[in-house]
Structures are given as C-alpha cells and as structure tokens.
Amino acid sequence: MSHAPFAPDEAAGIVAGLKDLEGPLLPILHAIQARFGHVPEAAIRLVAAELNLSRAEVHGTMSFYHDFRAEPAGRRVVKVCRAEACQARGGAAVEAALAASLGLPVGETSPDGRVSLEAVYCLGLCAIGPNALVDGRPVARLDPAKAARLAAEALS
Ligand code: FES
C-alpha cells in the first residue's frame, strides 16, 4: 500500500476533523497512520498539543497498540505471532530463525527499507501455529527451516 509523505498541514487537518470525538486519540492515530503509513514524532507532538496530552501519553498509547509504527514500514512486512498458543508450539524458535535470516530484530526495518520484522499478538489461527503474516497473508505451521525460507522469499 502506498502512503503519502508526511505533511504537517494535512495531519493538522486530520486532527482538527476528529478531535471533538469522544475518545479521539485512537481514531486520530489510526487516521494519521492510514494516510502516511506511520505516526512520526512531529505528528505525536501535534496530537499531544491538540488533545492536551503529554507526548509520553501518546507514545504510551502507540506502544500499547502494536499496530502503530513511528517509522515507515519496509516494502515487505513480516509479522511473527508472539501470543501464547504460537509460543507453546515453538514460536520463539521461529522468531529467532526469522530474525537471523532477515538480519533484523523484531521491531526493526532493514536500512535499505526492503523489509520490516514485527510482532503480532494472535491471528486467530492458534490451532495451526506457529504463525506469521507476510504482507498481510497468513503463513501457518512454521518451523525454523520454513521460517528461513520465508525470510529468503521476503528478501528476494
Ligand atoms: S497465538 Fe498465534 S495465532 Fe493465536
């Protein structure tokens, strides 16, 4: 999905349009991320000022909801499930294999912008885990070898 480059005026318009909602913070963060693909620090400052919140509060909300990102995503996005059922089925080894093969810890994007590795917390596919999402497509029954192949594909 392509996103617009961050534009402060446009972000201010998004905030102005939603700030009178009850509980406006999440809708505003979602709208900014939908438009720009991430919520940069400048947007966090703007949102905090407009909603009379501290920047720490806005950061706290962003990190609580794992879908928000402060940096643009890579062109490919691999999300590995860290929730309980996948962990019980070997999710940690799958995550380690993805991280090693991509050369990235979870939460980071490669410097060339090619790929991001992220965590996700349950895809509702617990019975066929460990699971990941590759560009939004679920991949089930992963093991370290399959995870390494998946990473190689994502890098190709
Ligand atoms: S715990 Fe991974 S899909 Fe539910």
Side-chain angles (χ1 to χ4, degrees):
M1 196 197 312
S2 66
H3 295 104
F6 181 71
D9 289 354
E10 204 180 332
I14 290 172
V15 176
L18 297 172
K19 69 184 269 197
D20 293 328
L21 290 178
E22 200 171 318
L25 180 54
L26 281 176
I28 287 172
L29 293 176
H30 277 297
I32 289 174
Q33 180 151 301
R35 180 66 182 139
F36 305 113
H38 67 297
V39 184
E41 190 57 39
I44 291 172
R45 277 199 298 276
L46 174 75
V47 171
E50 289 293 315
L51 300 186
N52 274 326
L53 298 170
S54 69
R55 278 158 54 192
E57 285 171 291
V58 180
H59 275 290
T61 298
M62 281 187 50
S63 49
F64 183 77
Y65 295 95
H66 300 281
D67 275 344
F68 293 119
R69 60 174 84 252
E71 307 287 336
R75 291 186 289 284
R76 312 289 308 271
V77 178
V78 179
K79 296 188 181 196
V80 60
C81 182
R82 273 187 171 172
E84 208 172 312
C86 285
Q87 290 302 299
R89 290 168 170 264
V94 166
E95 178 178 324
L98 284 170
S101 303
L102 293 171
L104 286 178
V106 168
E108 302 241 331
T109 297
S110 58
D112 61 3
R114 201 194 272 192
V115 64
S116 297
L117 179 60
E118 299 180 351
V120 70
Y121 293 85
C122 196
L123 303 167
L125 301 169
C126 313
I128 51 172
N131 299 305
L133 280 181
V134 180
D135 299 333
R137 177 178 55 90
V139 186
R141 301 188 206 285
L142 285 166
D143 58 30
K146 202 167 161 187
R149 286 198 298 277
L150 200 68
E153 270 170 46
L155 288 171
S156 66

